[in-house]
Amino acid sequence: MSKIKHCAIAISPGCNYDLVIENLMNGSLLNFHVELTEAAGALYSTITIDKIIAEELLHDRFEITTTTNSSLKSMSSGEQKKALLQYIIAKKPGFIVVDNILDNLDIAAQQNMVSLLQRIATETLIIQVINRKKDILPFIGTVFTISSNTVLKEETMNIYLKEKDSAQKNIFREKIPPALYQFNLPHGPLLQLRDVSVSYESRQVLSKINWTINRGEFWQLAGPNGSGKSTLLSLITGDNPKGFGQDIILFGMQKGTGEAVWDIKKNIGYLTPTMTQFFPRLDSVEKMLLSGFFDSIGLYRVPNETQVKTAAAWLKFIGLYEERDAPFCFLPLGKQRMVLVARAMVKHPPLLMLDEPAAGLDDDQVLLFTSLINKIAAETTTAILYVSHRKEPGLNPNHVFELLPGAKGSRGIIKVPRQ
């Protein structure tokens, strides 16, 4: 078989993702297909980011920093990716495996990333791990589909792109399990920010933000990397001390009137792809979902009979009841995200916050995920705040709140979502 350069890897659902990455790095997966140099390769992935952050926490040693000497952990997801790539380039590896490179990057950053990799590709072999067809780098010539840690199929990029996605857009035929109880909140908006500004030292991040979220509304929060989305979310969750002294109402409570952070957080169901790293590794799918009743990292309390029945109803609803005893960490990524949504929704919270929830999912998994979110929006009174740079196909937010950076901080505008 002839040797080739610059290829992409499409990993079939159910594959051991970590093992595929490991065998890519040691050369055993593509040794009959791709000419690898003797120089060691480098992995550009959230896997690498997580390992470096763990080292930061364990040894208080910062292997990667920015020009402002920020640690990797303190950066946003987009900033982490940029810093990691610069770090890898400086090491001059024999090849680079790039894993979901465009997730968490805004449009301009995506274009810059593609241009940078095109320049690197003139001298260094690039092996791209892909989930989304539209993310394939323009210089990729061949796509390998991997199943059971072996090459199942080899085809040109053009042929691969013409293949149709196979997933059903909607498998959620039953109604969403009902709430066990109602949250007793005063009348009025769930959240209201009036002329809210945030600065850090001499840098203005947010400038006079005015935003109201009412019960049952479906919002998407958008804006380029560094525009202040994470800062805005931390104001909503009550984690940011910059909220004190500001005109902010959170679930009927005026910020700074004696409320505890827990008083705010108990009203929020939250999902971010990075949250799974904090859970016990072998927690079962059922325990993962049940922990949502207690907002705990792992299940340390004995749930009552009604909670167990409700968790079972959610697992049946998302089609995972038969896998309830399986370790959560062994599920395919798409199924993990559905469990995390069910965990966040098991109490029917007033607000569901989804922070880049489709990162790492493939095209088929995204169709199922967005179908689930649309159903929650249609059948519950939970307000949804979906944070993403992407306009996902099939996702139907009613409103978009976009942050627009400026010299005096980002201002917010309300836009009609594009259909």
Side-chain angles (χ1 to χ4, degrees), residues 119-133:
R119 293 197 298 271
I120 296 171
T122 60
E123 298 180 354
T124 305
L125 170 64
I126 303 294
I127 302 174
Q128 182 183 11
V129 180
I130 55 170
N131 288 320
R132 314 292 287 273
K133 286 184 176 179

Side-chain angles (χ1 to χ4, degrees), residues 10 42 91 124 150 198 213 253 258 267 301 390:
K91 286 184 170 292
T124 305
T150 58
V198 174
I213 298 179
M253 296 173 284
N267 297 293
R301 295 167 60 181
R390 296 180 188 263

Side-chain angles (χ1 to χ4, degrees), residues 45-57:
S45 169
T46 55
I47 295 173
T48 308
I49 291 172
D50 290 343
K51 286 181 179 179
I52 294 175
I53 289 175
E55 287 292 312
E56 288 180 350
L57 297 174

Side-chain angles (χ1 to χ4, degrees), residues 116-293:
L116 177 57
L117 287 170
Q118 282 182 306
R119 293 197 298 271
I120 296 171
T122 60
E123 298 180 354
T124 305
L125 170 64
I126 303 294
I127 302 174
Q128 182 183 11
V129 180
I130 55 170
N131 288 320
R132 314 292 287 273
K133 286 184 176 179
K134 61 183 178 181
D135 290 349
I136 295 181
L137 295 166
F139 53 82
I140 295 296
T142 301
V143 178
F144 297 102
T145 299
I146 306 300
S147 180
S148 301
N149 205 40
T150 58
V151 175
L152 177 67
K153 187 164 45 174
E154 174 183 348
E155 53 199 339
T156 66
M157 181 178 70
N158 289 335
I159 292 176
Y160 174 76
L161 291 175
K162 290 178 182 177
E163 294 177 354
K164 294 183 179 180
D165 298 325
S166 59
Q168 294 175 287
K169 291 186 178 182
N170 190 354
I171 64 167
F172 307 105
R173 304 299 182 188
E174 303 297 325
K175 286 191 173 295
I176 288 176
L180 293 183
Y181 56 88
Q182 298 296 320
F183 283 77
N184 185 21
L185 296 178
H187 293 292
L190 280 182
L191 309 170
Q192 191 168 50
L193 290 78
R194 289 181 285 206
D195 286 338
V196 172
S197 298
V198 174
S199 60
Y200 294 96
E201 296 180 350
S202 60
R203 178 176 176 247
Q204 189 80 21
V205 179
L206 300 176
S207 177
K208 294 186 177 181
I209 297 298
N210 289 280
W211 190 15
T212 299
I213 298 179
N214 296 302
R215 288 172 172 81
E217 292 182 341
F218 186 178
W219 287 84
Q220 180 168 349
L221 174 61
N225 295 119
S227 61
K229 294 189 299 299
S230 296
T231 298
L232 189 52
L233 293 181
S234 67
L235 291 171
I236 292 172
T237 60
D239 290 317
N240 195 325
K242 297 286 185 178
F244 289 101
Q246 307 250 25
D247 192 355
I248 301 175
I249 295 176
L250 303 174
F251 309 103
M253 296 173 284
Q254 180 71 43
K255 183 68 177 173
T257 56
E259 81 288 349
V261 172
W262 168 245
D263 293 328
I264 298 169
K265 288 183 179 293
K266 68 182 181 182
N267 297 293
I268 302 173
Y270 187 64
L271 186 160
T272 180
T274 60
M275 68 190 298
T276 55
Q277 63 186 275
F278 301 111
F279 284 87
R281 182 159 179 79
L282 293 179
D283 260 6
S284 70
V285 169
E286 182 184 45
K287 286 184 177 180
M288 174 66 82
L289 202 154
L290 283 167
S291 70
F293 283 111

Side-chain angles (χ1 to χ4, degrees), residues 327-348:
F328 171 82
C329 62
F330 292 164
L331 288 182
L333 195 58
K335 291 183 177 181
Q336 286 187 1
R337 295 288 164 80
M338 288 196 293
V339 172
L340 290 177
V341 171
R343 177 186 181 273
M345 278 298 301
V346 74
K347 294 191 300 183
H348 283 243

